[in-house]
Structures are given as C-alpha cells and as structure tokens.
Amino acid sequence: MTSQPRDAPQFYLTSPSTCPYLPDREERKVFTHIVGRRSRELNEILTQGGFRRSQTIAYRPACDACRACVSVRVLTDEFEPSGNLKRVLKANNDLIGVAISNRPSSEQYSLFRRYLDARHTDGGMADMTVLDYSMMIEDSHVDTQVIEYRRRGIDSGITGKGAGDLIAMCLTDVMSDGLSMVYSFYEPDMHDRSLGTFMILDHIRRARTMGLPYLYLGYWVEGSKKMAYKARFKPQERLLAQGWVRTD
C-alpha cells in the first residue's frame, strides 16, 4: 500500500460561491495545505505564483470566466511615495512598529473586533471568536511575524518599542525575496491617519531595509473599489498570463 508523501502538495478546487469583489459574479479557488518539512519553500513558490496564505492553506482564484484578480508586488528599491503618501507618513510620524513573534493577545483581539464591527460586519470574518483569531495568528508553518504599531514613547529611541495602546497591527510573512502582508487591521476611529496605507508604506521601508526586493500585497481587482488602493504603490509588478509584468 502506498500513500502520498506529506511534503508533496495536493491541490483542491472549491465549489462556486458569491464573488466578494465584483457584482453578479461567482468565484472558485484552488488551494493546498502548507505543511511538512518543505512548508517555507512551498509557501515561497506558491506566493511567487500568485497564491495567498491563510493559516496553513495557500489559495488563489480559479474562476471559470474571470481573471480580474491580479497578484501585485511592489518594487521596494524603486518605490518613491507621492505627495499624498508623504502626507500619510507625516501624519503617522508619532507611531512606531515593532516586530514580535506570532502570538495572539487579548489586546490584539479587542482591536480586531473593533475593526471588524466598524468596517466588515457582513464579511466572512465577522463571527470570528477569540479561538478563531488565535488560530489565524499562530497557525503557520512559515516565518511569520506580527508587527504592532503604537505611539512613540520617551524611551523609544533606546528601547526600539512604542508606548501606549495598540493602534494597528499586521500579520506578515518573511520570505527570501520579500515581505507578504497576510492580514492587517487598525483602530477604526482614526480615519485621518489612513492607517492601512501607512502600514503598507512602513512594510515597503522594512523590506528595503532588509534587502528584500518585493512587498507582496495580494490581489488587485480592476473594478473593485475595496481593492483599488493597491494600484497606488508603484512601480509594481502584476502577475499576468506571461508572468510578472512591471507597471509604472
């Protein structure tokens, strides 16, 4: 009797469901499990091929008649913020991000719940419990960090840490060629800060400092307002039928 090796990925296709990005369309996804000794290598190969990670699952759209979802990665060395993006950086100059191990906390979950209740009450994550959240953060077989953002304290220059309440957070995978922003959330009442944009800008800086050429942002969907912001960070590469294509 033979069995499939644990390190050899098997791919599965979901049934059609309502598309969360474009009206009157259905989506399907192909997915596999990221487990075993080769999980980090497999995650990198799949990410470079347009997959996204959620816990121990890597997935990508596999819709029958639509190719609107396009993987995007920012060229970190060449990126220069526009005037508007510079204003976002200035508005958040009092914040400092600290990378910690991917361990959940009650403070994180409280912020996560405020964010969902204010911004995504009808989304697929709206009913996530503390246990669900813990699994989202901890259940990873790859190099994963949590970046917590707090206000700078009087000792931040010495300790390298922020002070005060948690304002924003990002779950981030570290790969050999870049950082991948898996999921981020922030204080929903701080509209003027554009915290989602700020975290992207900070991750571009982090990747550049680490000598990593790319920041993976997931899918840009033409015609979707909720995904339109990803087109602001250029130069970037988009994964098309012919491979990664530069867009300025």
Side-chain angles (χ1 to χ4, degrees):
M1 180 176 179
T2 61
S3 61
Q4 186 76 8
R6 183 174 174 82
D7 291 331
Q10 299 183 56
F11 292 87
Y12 308 89
L13 188 64
T14 65
S15 299
S17 60
T18 302
C19 176
Y21 304 120
L22 298 173
D24 303 321
R25 300 198 191 183
E26 291 186 329
E27 71 165 359
R28 300 187 78 181
K29 294 176 182 175
V30 60
F31 69 94
T32 189
H33 296 278
I34 311 174
V35 294
R37 294 179 294 106
R38 296 181 60 243
S39 56
R40 293 188 180 186
E41 177 187 355
L42 178 61
N43 184 55
E44 295 206 10
I45 292 172
L46 292 175
T47 300
Q48 293 161 1
F51 281 72
R52 294 288 285 167
R53 184 183 73 81
S54 177
Q55 296 176 221
T56 59
I57 291 176
Y59 66 90
R60 67 169 297 172
C63 305
D64 295 332
C66 180
R67 297 293 181 270
C69 293
V70 177
S71 293
V72 170
R73 63 187 187 188
V74 182
L75 298 171
T76 60
D77 284 339
E78 299 182 55
F79 175 79
E80 290 293 337
S82 63
N84 181 266
L85 295 179
K86 287 179 180 178
R87 286 190 285 274
V88 172
L89 288 170
K90 184 176 180 180
N92 293 282
N93 190 49
D94 60 333
L95 299 186
I96 184 170
V98 177
I100 62 175
S101 61
N102 57 317
R103 295 292 180 268
S105 70
S106 57
E107 184 183 27
Q108 292 172 12
Y109 182 70
S110 294
L111 176 61
F112 177 68
R113 280 263 43 110
R114 291 197 299 275
Y115 174 78
L116 290 182
D117 292 344
R119 302 289 298 269
H120 299 288
T121 55
D122 58 348
M125 306 174 78
D127 296 328
M128 284 181 66
T129 65
V130 172
L131 179 59
D132 295 328
Y133 174 80
S134 297
M135 291 292 290
M136 180 179 76
I137 300 299
E138 288 185 310
D139 198 6
S140 170
H141 290 245
V142 303
D143 187 358
T144 302
Q145 298 178 338
V146 165
I147 315 295
E148 292 188 342
Y149 294 87
R150 305 175 190 270
R151 286 190 172 89
R152 295 179 184 274
I154 57 175
D155 297 327
S156 291
I158 300 173
T159 65
K161 298 180 179 180
D165 295 335
L166 182 65
I167 291 176
M169 199 192 98
C170 186
L171 185 66
T172 304
D173 286 348
V174 182
M175 304 186 300
S176 62
D177 69 342
L179 299 179
S180 177
M181 298 180 71
V182 177
Y183 190 75
S184 62
F185 54 92
Y186 48 85
E187 188 61 64
D189 293 335
M190 297 183 174
H191 307 288
D192 295 342
R193 284 183 175 269
S194 299
L195 288 165
T197 298
F198 168 70
M199 282 190 281
I200 294 176
L201 294 170
D202 182 68
H203 274 68
I204 292 173
R205 178 194 62 79
R206 286 174 181 274
R208 182 185 296 163
T209 300
M210 296 168 69
L212 301 175
Y214 303 117
L215 174 65
Y216 289 85
L217 291 182
Y219 302 116
W220 167 74
V221 184
E222 187 172 12
S224 171
K225 291 183 178 179
K226 67 171 67 173
M227 291 295 177
Y229 69 91
K230 296 180 182 181
R232 302 172 64 191
F233 302 93
K234 295 177 180 177
Q236 63 182 224
E237 291 181 347
R238 298 176 181 176
L239 186 56
L240 306 178
Q242 64 268 42
W244 288 99
V245 176
R246 180 186 175 108
T247 301
D248 290 293

